[in-house]
């Protein structure tokens, strides 16, 4: 009798879980596939093209100065070598400052996109969960294994795309 009662008590959580419908979503994947996110991120990347071109140009100048110093450094006078080293250091500082500035702009732009998209993502997940009659939606990164029929990422992306 005690064993039967104990077995029944141990099965209650399993039975309760069996009644719940669970969905799994990859929020980052859903966002990245959403057309609004892609549009916003494309605009952000376009706004940083000038900085990227300047970074490439400065990087080339630094490499050119290094190469010249390596090739001609032995035949240069001490003043010429010092001048070339100083120019190289100045270009490196300028390159680092520009790289940091571009990174700050990228981070700020990404943060702004997330601030706009995060509430939409939450709403899309809730809409899909209600439509699919789900009790729980879990983040895919927190799940070790999931059956493909429980993954609602595509449906969330579709819902995001339908929201304007």
């Amino acid at each position: 009798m005690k064993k039967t009662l104990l077995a029944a008590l141990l099965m209650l959580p399993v039975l309760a879980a069996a009644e719940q419908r669970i969905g799994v979503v990859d929020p980052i994947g859903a966002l990245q596939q959403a057309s609004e996110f892609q549009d916003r991120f494309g605009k952000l990347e376009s706004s940083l093209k000038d900085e990227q071109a300047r970074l490439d140009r400065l990087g080339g100048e630094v490499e050119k100065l290094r190469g010249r110093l390596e090739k001609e450094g032995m035949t240069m006078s001490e003043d010429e070598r010092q001048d070339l080293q100083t120019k190289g250091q100045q270009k490196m500082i300028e390159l680092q400052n520009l790289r940091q500035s571009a990174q700050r702009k990228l981070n700020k732009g990404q943060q702004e996109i997330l601030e706009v998209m995060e509430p939409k993502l939450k709403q899309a997940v809730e809409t899909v969960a209600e439509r699919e009659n789900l009790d729980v939606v879990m983040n895919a990164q927190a799940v070790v294994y999931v059956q493909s029929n429980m993954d609602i990422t595509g449906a969330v992306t579709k819902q995001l795309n339908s929201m304007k």
Side-chain angles (χ1 to χ4, degrees), residues 31-91:
L31 276 178
Q32 289 176 338
Q33 296 302 313
S35 56
E36 181 179 353
F37 178 87
Q38 291 175 352
D39 291 345
R40 289 176 181 273
F41 196 75
K43 289 176 185 174
L44 175 61
E45 284 181 326
S46 293
S47 73
L48 294 172
K49 280 189 179 179
D50 290 341
E51 281 89 350
Q52 185 60 48
R54 286 179 54 205
L55 281 169
D56 293 343
R57 183 182 50 78
L58 273 173
E61 290 176 15
V62 167
E63 286 304 312
K64 191 174 179 181
L65 289 172
R66 280 185 188 160
R68 185 169 170 221
L69 192 60
E70 285 179 17
K71 287 181 182 176
E72 302 171 18
M74 295 298 217
T75 60
M76 289 181 177
S77 70
E78 185 62 31
D79 287 342
E80 287 176 318
R81 194 172 28 252
Q82 285 290 348
D83 186 47
L84 199 56
Q85 285 176 338
T86 302
K87 284 181 183 177
Q89 289 171 347
Q90 289 171 343
K91 293 284 183 189

Side-chain angles (χ1 to χ4, degrees):
M1 173 83 170
K2 285 185 179 180
K3 286 185 181 181
T4 306
L5 184 59
L6 180 61
L9 287 174
L10 290 175
M11 291 299 291
L12 283 177
V14 173
L15 293 173
E19 292 175 18
Q20 290 184 338
R21 292 194 26 95
I22 299 172
V24 176
V25 66
D26 175 7
I28 295 169
L31 276 178
Q32 289 176 338
Q33 296 302 313
S35 56
E36 181 179 353
F37 178 87
Q38 291 175 352
D39 291 345
R40 289 176 181 273
F41 196 75
K43 289 176 185 174
L44 175 61
E45 284 181 326
S46 293
S47 73
L48 294 172
K49 280 189 179 179
D50 290 341
E51 281 89 350
Q52 185 60 48
R54 286 179 54 205
L55 281 169
D56 293 343
R57 183 182 50 78
L58 273 173
E61 290 176 15
V62 167
E63 286 304 312
K64 191 174 179 181
L65 289 172
R66 280 185 188 160
R68 185 169 170 221
L69 192 60
E70 285 179 17
K71 287 181 182 176
E72 302 171 18
M74 295 298 217
T75 60
M76 289 181 177
S77 70
E78 185 62 31
D79 287 342
E80 287 176 318
R81 194 172 28 252
Q82 285 290 348
D83 186 47
L84 199 56
Q85 285 176 338
T86 302
K87 284 181 183 177
Q89 289 171 347
Q90 289 171 343
K91 293 284 183 189
M92 279 298 296
I93 291 169
E94 186 179 350
L95 181 64
Q96 288 171 345
N97 289 339
L98 184 59
R99 188 175 290 140
Q100 289 171 353
S101 173
Q103 187 64 48
R104 279 191 300 272
K105 286 180 182 178
L106 177 64
N107 291 344
K108 183 180 180 216
Q110 288 174 334
Q111 186 62 38
E112 289 172 355
I113 291 171
L114 286 177
E115 286 174 5
V116 170
M117 294 300 297
E118 198 169 20
K120 292 180 179 187
L121 174 66
K122 185 175 187 231
Q123 182 182 0
V125 169
E126 289 172 359
T127 301
V128 171
E130 288 174 11
R131 185 172 57 230
E132 301 283 330
N133 198 26
L134 300 174
D135 298 311
V136 177
V137 177
M138 298 177 68
N139 188 322
Q141 280 76 33
V143 177
V144 177
Y145 171 77
V146 65
Q147 293 178 353
S148 61
N149 65 335
M150 295 174 73
D151 187 354
I152 62 169
T153 304
V156 170
T157 299
K158 191 174 181 180
Q159 180 64 34
L160 279 168
N161 287 337
S162 71
M163 298 165 58
K164 292 294 170 188

